[in-house]
Amino acid sequence: MQNSAISFSFCVDFRENKILKLIDHLGRNFEVYYNTGLTLVTVKNYDAALYEEYRTFRSDPGTIVRSTFQVLVKSPQGVH
């Protein structure tokens, strides 16, 4: 979950019927954008080599919180 003064982002398991209801409900009052086919990778106590390996999955290095590294990566097609 990440929020700012103008946006709120979060990751959830994609349970299609529940997520589509949520998107519909939120869409009544907010602009809603979503992605599917992503995997959240969380690494605790990472080192520089591991950070570089996962950082290359996208241009933004992800979110670093203390000794935890998190990044969203596109799943290979057919794997969710």
Side-chain angles (χ1 to χ4, degrees):
M1 179 172 54
Q2 179 180 359
N3 64 344
S4 71
I6 60 171
S7 69
F8 178 76
S9 301
F10 58 95
C11 297
V12 296
D13 288 337
F14 189 74
R15 295 186 178 126
E16 188 170 8
N17 61 335
K18 291 184 177 189
I19 295 301
L20 294 179
K21 286 179 186 177
L22 177 62
I23 291 168
D24 180 58
H25 182 76
L26 292 173
R28 295 176 194 162
N29 296 304
F30 305 100
E31 289 184 39
V32 177
Y33 303 95
Y34 69 96
N35 294 294
T36 61
L38 301 174
T39 299
L40 176 63
V41 176
T42 302
V43 180
K44 292 187 61 116
N45 303 315
Y46 63 91
D47 61 16
L50 191 60
Y51 173 83
E52 284 301 317
E53 179 182 344
Y54 281 105
R55 185 186 68 78
T56 61
F57 280 113
R58 59 182 240 179
S59 58
D60 176 22
T63 302
I64 300 172
V65 180
R66 297 185 191 141
S67 63
T68 301
F69 171 76
Q70 291 185 309
V71 62
L72 283 170
V73 295
K74 284 192 173 206
S75 300
Q77 287 190 343
V79 177
H80 298 282

